[in-house]
Amino acid sequence: MTQPQTLTAGARLTGAVLCAFLALLTAAWIARDIHAARSLPDLWWFWTGAPKHRGGTPLTTGVLDPVLLVVYAVAAAVVPRSPAAAAVLSCVGAVTAALRVSSLWVLHDDWTDSTALHDLHRRALLSTFAALAAGLALVITAAAGRRPDAAPGPRPQARPGPGAGTTAFLLLGAAGLVAVAWEIYWAVELSGEQYKARFTGKHLPLLWMPGGWVAVVLAAIALTAAGGGLARAVHVRPLGLMAAAVLTAYGAIGIALAVRFELLDHFGDLETGAQLQVLTWFFQPAAGIALVPVLARRGPEDRAGAPGAPWTPQSPPYAPYSPQPPQDGHGGGFGPPPPGYGPPPPPSSPPPGW
């Protein structure tokens, strides 16, 4: 049996501070756009990619920025006490680095060299490097801060229960495969230059991430978490919840566009590809919202010492009593049975819970 691992207090504090830093950095850019936008609805439609008003002060953030803000704030709050603190820090850091690295080529697009955007471009580039450094630091902190957990007695379960793991496998696996299927579809339907633009992000706002890149990262996150769901791995909960947040955000944007352009009213007149796109927009938030209560719920306590191991009592909770044969031919009594005497104790069973 492997000895359980925990994260040291210093590593937890460092991870919480890094998550708080990322949250403040992201919140500052969102606050800047709220101030620059004419209204919050205008900022929302800008995030959908179909702004209602053009011109004025350029906006910078995308729909993933508020999603990441929530992820960072929750991580900073739970890391000091969570039994899965190392997995949380590793997943948050890896996803941050995977998403923000796309800004390194988006921010070197020719159109960002204009004089009007020079200062904004410089700050966006500095923020990108800071986010990448913090993301990598989270992964290093999680790896370097692990220590054997010598605490006696039961400890909170870091892994999901069997039911939660199976549900996560089904929902996240379906979401990941849908993302992969759409990328195959676009690779066939679009020309080489058009499909390349899905990853290079030509003429994107400063902090936006290319759609193709986000789809690939989402597919990787969802499928990795889905595989972890079958194995009841520790990382399935933080990784699955992040995938759920991204799915919900992009599904909400899709539904808003479908309503705005009356795609639902003319659903029967749409081409098959457009109909499947609308259905995907509704599937994404449904799967994302369903995953939250499944993965946010803690599993049963780990009584065997190793996270995720079934509970196997080391000794019976009480000494069984059974009739003892007469010793002198004149009577009997009750007492502990000799070895092999009496019925065997009932088989152990895992405690209730997911």
Side-chain angles (χ1 to χ4, degrees), residues 228-241:
L230 280 184
R232 295 180 59 197
V234 177
H235 69 263
V236 65
R237 295 174 67 190
L239 206 58
L241 287 172

Side-chain angles (χ1 to χ4, degrees), residues 28-38 42-43 46-47 51 53-62 107 111-124 203-208:
W29 280 103
I30 295 175
R32 182 261 170 202
D33 275 6
I34 291 175
H35 182 266
R38 300 184 182 185
D42 281 353
L43 180 58
F46 173 78
W47 285 346
H53 301 98
R54 298 181 182 274
T57 305
L59 303 180
T60 59
T61 56
L107 289 171
W111 80 278
T112 62
D113 294 334
S114 64
T115 304
L117 290 174
H118 181 72
D119 182 61
L120 204 58
H121 173 268
R122 180 179 58 83
R123 284 187 285 159
H203 294 166
L204 280 182
L206 291 178
L207 294 180
W208 278 37

Side-chain angles (χ1 to χ4, degrees), residues 85-353:
V88 171
L89 295 183
S90 297
C91 293
V92 171
V95 171
T96 297
L99 290 174
R100 290 299 185 191
V101 72
S102 63
S103 294
L104 294 182
W105 55 82
V106 170
L107 289 171
H108 281 85
D109 198 354
D110 294 339
W111 80 278
T112 62
D113 294 334
S114 64
T115 304
L117 290 174
H118 181 72
D119 182 61
L120 204 58
H121 173 268
R122 180 179 58 83
R123 284 187 285 159
L125 195 58
L126 290 176
S127 295
T128 296
F129 281 117
L132 285 172
L136 295 176
L138 284 173
V139 176
I140 295 172
T141 300
R146 295 175 186 265
R147 296 291 185 274
D149 187 2
R155 52 184 56 82
Q157 176 66 278
R159 300 171 186 254
T166 303
T167 305
F169 167 73
L170 294 175
L171 291 176
L172 289 168
L177 292 177
V178 167
V180 171
W182 274 113
E183 277 311 299
I184 296 174
Y185 172 82
W186 291 124
V188 173
E189 289 293 315
L190 300 177
S191 66
E193 284 300 318
Q194 288 175 321
Y195 188 68
K196 180 181 177 182
R198 280 183 55 78
F199 292 87
T200 59
K202 191 172 181 63
H203 294 166
L204 280 182
L206 291 178
L207 294 180
W208 278 37
M209 303 162 196
W213 184 263
V214 174
V216 169
V217 173
L218 173 61
I221 294 172
L223 293 177
T224 301
L230 280 184
R232 295 180 59 197
V234 177
H235 69 263
V236 65
R237 295 174 67 190
L239 206 58
L241 287 172
M242 281 189 281
V246 175
L247 287 169
T248 303
Y250 273 94
I253 280 181
I255 293 173
L257 291 174
V259 172
R260 176 180 171 183
F261 295 108
E262 301 180 349
L263 300 182
L264 300 179
D265 297 335
H266 306 284
F267 184 80
D269 300 328
L270 299 176
E271 296 180 356
T272 303
Q275 290 178 338
L276 291 174
Q277 179 67 82
V278 173
L279 293 176
T280 300
W281 286 338
F282 279 90
F283 164 74
Q284 287 175 327
I289 293 171
L291 281 166
V292 173
V294 170
L295 294 178
R297 183 181 180 184
R298 280 191 176 182
E301 284 187 343
D302 173 23
R303 297 177 180 270
W311 176 45
T312 305
Q314 302 301 318
S315 59
Y318 58 88
Y321 284 81
S322 57
Q324 186 174 359
Q327 301 295 326
D328 55 4
H330 299 287
F334 288 87
Y341 183 83
S348 63
S349 60

